[in-house]
Amino acid sequence: GDPGAPANWPRYDALLPHVLSSGAALDPEPRVRAFLSNQIRALFTTGEYDAALRLADQAVEAWSGHVDAVDQDMINLQIQRTIILRRLDRMAKALALSQETYELTASRLGPDHWLTIGMAGSLAAAHRRLGDLRTADELDQHIWEVDARLYGPEHEQTLLAAHNVA
């Protein structure tokens, strides 16, 4: 279920010991990656930032040998890592990871690809948090323009981008 839904948190909490003991973070199989990503999101949504970061770091290291660096699961995991790092107030590392992954996705997939745009949002958030509002605004403007073109002006994603611009 949705790891952001409070009703599902007890299930994720109950599954965590099994996830850890099974070595699921080391398994690059797509369904395991999807579940692990949800487990990490449940952890950081409930404030378990250190545990979420340890699991995410293990997964990135393990998946790197089997999964393309711009695979959707890998980019989503990198976005999760940047969120966790920001919440832990490790801003230099969050900014560096966001910048590195944004540049990788932009060069490999193009500046308007939806995964690049997702990473741009993470990068904008890091800049915003560090007080670099000009850079954050430039990124947010680009995200909003691309989202409006990809999804339409009234789509939830476009409205979220408009919120960040505002």
Side-chain angles (χ1 to χ4, degrees), residues 15 24-25 46 51 62 71 77 79 85 92 98 109 113 121-123 133 140:
L15 289 170
T46 59
D71 178 90
L77 186 57
I79 290 170
L85 289 166
S98 296
L109 303 173
H113 190 278
S122 183
L123 181 58
L133 302 181
D140 286 332

Side-chain angles (χ1 to χ4, degrees), residues 9 22 29 33 35 49 88 123 131 144 146 148:
W9 295 345
S22 71
E29 198 275 321
R33 291 192 323 240
F35 172 74
Y49 304 128
L88 287 168
L123 181 58
W144 178 53
V146 172

Side-chain angles (χ1 to χ4, degrees), residues 86-144:
R86 285 195 313 269
R87 291 187 181 171
L88 287 168
D89 203 28
R90 297 182 189 168
M91 292 310 302
K93 192 167 182 178
L95 179 63
L97 178 59
S98 296
Q99 185 70 46
E100 176 186 330
T101 309
Y102 172 73
E103 289 172 3
L104 176 68
T105 57
S107 70
R108 296 258 316 268
L109 303 173
D112 295 352
H113 190 278
W114 65 275
L115 286 172
T116 304
I117 293 301
M119 213 51 240
S122 183
L123 181 58
H127 280 291
R128 207 171 15 261
R129 179 87 181 273
L130 288 166
D132 183 0
L133 302 181
R134 184 179 315 259
T135 302
D137 184 55
E138 291 170 4
L139 288 162
D140 286 332
Q141 279 288 144
H142 177 70
I143 294 164
W144 178 53

